[in-house]
Amino acid sequence: MENSNQAILDRILTLELVRVTESAAVAAARLRGQGDEKAADQVAVDAMRTELNRLPIDGKVVIGEGERDEAPMLYIGEEVGTKKGPKVDIALDPLEGTTICAKNLPNSLAVIALAEGGSLLYAPDVYMDKIAVGPGYPEGIVDLDKPAAENLAAMAKHKGCKVGDLTACILDRPRHAKIIEEVRAAGCAIRLIGDGDVAGVIHTTDPEETGIDIYIGIGGAPEGVLAAAALRCIGGQMQGRLILDTPEKVARAAKMGIEDPKRKYSMTEMAKGDVLFAATGVTDGNMLDGVKFSSSEIFTHTIVMRSSSKTVREIKARHQDIGKFG
Ligand code: VTB
């Protein structure tokens, strides 16, 4: 398989993907702190789409900016790429954390995942209940359906530390009041984040660097699939369950092929097959630096990885041809 044309192309694509997220990140970074989420998102979408259409792929957006009638660009089902290349599914978020970018707070990212056609979960834009931990734990160490205290105790036992030495990352939302209370009662530290749970999940893969051991809570389902794609590449465990709490959502999900509305998905069920993932920092974050501008250069910091080889590359780029970013 590694010597087939497809595999060689995928290896090249891994690096090509960097240009795609770099371009979106630079565009969004120009609008950091401007308080205009929509404008920042729009420029990121435009830049990502332009770069994607240069890639030698026959790509289909499966997780994108929204349904076709609500998103003019990078909508679910849009075909991208030169069409001269492998059939691939694409999940993307040109600006994950629009609010954090608009406020210039940490951890907004430009993100993309690319996988063999048919291997990403076609998730509707609803909420997903998620739990994620990084590599190094035995399979099944945590479970979405177990109480937080039990999950945290199992992690601490495996690590040989106290629950109080662990930190959980949770989106700061009223819907999380109960889980926050449970985690605090267990003695675990919490980092409450305003937005950006793709970064929150990825941060579990390097607790020493990020200070995050586990991600818990309800965020967007599209972000869940993107995060699962990332963990597939670095290692770690994740489970997700779509929140289909109205007949309308159940019907929408059914149209996308989801038969069991209560199903708990493993990481591999959300992103199977060979997956490529890239993220470039827009604002400074715990793992990635944000874009930096000088009069003659632009600096970007990107993480790019591939599930089949588990290679994780960090690319710090200096762009002197700043005109290419428009
Ligand atoms: C998360 C987070 C996103 O939405 O998925 C969150 O990753 C969940 O939705 O950055 P609510 O904001 O409705 O709670 C974002 O914050 C924004 O897309």
Side-chain angles (χ1 to χ4, degrees):
M1 155 72 183
E2 273 304 316
N3 287 325
S4 70
N5 284 341
Q6 166 96 34
I8 289 163
L9 196 58
D10 287 349
R11 289 181 65 179
I12 296 166
L13 275 175
T14 310
L15 295 176
E16 290 284 336
L17 267 194
V18 175
R19 287 201 186 91
V20 176
T21 52
E22 280 177 350
S23 183
V26 169
R30 293 264 187 219
L31 296 179
R32 280 182 305 216
Q34 293 293 321
D36 193 342
E37 304 168 15
K38 277 209 169 128
D41 195 42
Q42 189 58 56
V43 293
V45 169
D46 291 347
M48 184 172 271
R49 188 167 180 260
T50 303
E51 281 303 323
L52 257 180
N53 279 329
R54 293 193 172 123
L55 291 190
I57 52 170
D58 183 358
K60 188 170 86 177
V61 175
V62 299
I63 300 272
E65 287 293 287
E67 317 280 323
R68 190 184 193 135
D69 47 357
E70 66 196 33
M73 282 195 218
L74 297 181
Y75 54 84
I76 298 168
E78 183 172 344
E79 289 176 2
V80 290
T82 60
K83 303 253 159 60
K84 294 186 191 102
K87 269 198 182 316
V88 290
D89 278 355
I90 296 168
L92 51 85
D93 198 345
L95 182 56
E96 153 62 347
T98 51
T99 310
I100 28 188
C101 175
K103 295 182 176 174
N104 204 356
L105 292 172
N107 293 317
S108 63
L109 306 172
V111 188
I112 196 163
L114 200 142
E116 291 161 45
S119 54
L120 296 175
L121 175 67
Y122 294 3
D125 192 0
V126 295
Y127 283 121
M128 178 187 273
D129 201 1
K130 314 171 193 179
I131 192 165
V133 294
Y137 293 103
E139 191 60 33
I141 184 95
V142 295
D143 193 296
L144 198 53
D145 294 324
K146 282 189 185 158
E150 206 177 307
N151 286 328
L152 293 166
M155 288 170 68
K157 188 170 175 209
H158 179 77
K159 278 184 96 171
C161 68
K162 299 193 197 90
V163 170
D165 298 328
L166 302 174
T167 300
C169 178
I170 303 178
L171 271 171
D172 192 5
R173 296 291 187 278
R175 63 175 177 267
H176 290 145
K178 189 164 166 277
I179 188 87
I180 289 171
E181 202 180 302
E182 279 175 37
V183 171
R184 284 186 177 146
C188 177
I190 299 185
R191 182 173 306 159
L192 286 174
I193 55 168
D195 289 283
D197 67 352
V198 175
V201 171
I202 296 176
H203 287 163
T204 65
T205 63
D206 193 357
E208 282 177 19
E209 178 79 12
T210 65
I212 304 287
D213 298 280
I214 179 167
Y215 175 85
I216 319 174
I218 297 172
E223 288 89 345
V225 176
L226 277 162
L231 281 203
R232 273 290 318 289
C233 300
I234 324 178
Q237 301 176 48
M238 179 171 173
Q239 292 176 335
R241 180 180 282 123
L242 297 170
I243 303 193
L244 301 169
D245 50 5
T246 64
E248 183 265 330
K249 287 181 198 164
V250 173
R252 250 167 72 204
K255 265 201 201 155
M256 298 175 90
I258 291 161
E259 285 164 15
D260 175 3
K262 299 222 160 75
R263 180 164 169 186
K264 179 167 63 176
Y265 292 93
S266 69
M267 177 175 75
T268 321
E269 287 166 338
M270 291 189 266
K272 47 181 189 266
D274 194 8
V275 182
L276 315 179
F277 178 93
T280 302
V282 177
T283 56
D284 279 337
N286 301 75
M287 268 180 122
L288 294 172
D289 300 331
V291 178
K292 289 189 181 48
F293 298 101
S294 80
S295 56
S296 56
E297 289 178 328
I298 299 176
F299 300 85
T300 53
H301 189 186
T302 303
I303 189 165
V304 59
M305 42 214 190
R306 182 174 181 206
S307 66
S308 68
S309 60
K310 290 259 180 335
T311 311
V312 178
R313 292 183 172 86
E314 273 189 55
I315 301 187
K316 288 194 172 184
R318 287 173 56 174
H319 308 270
Q320 301 203 22
D321 177 15
I322 57 179
K324 76 183 172 193
F325 292 108

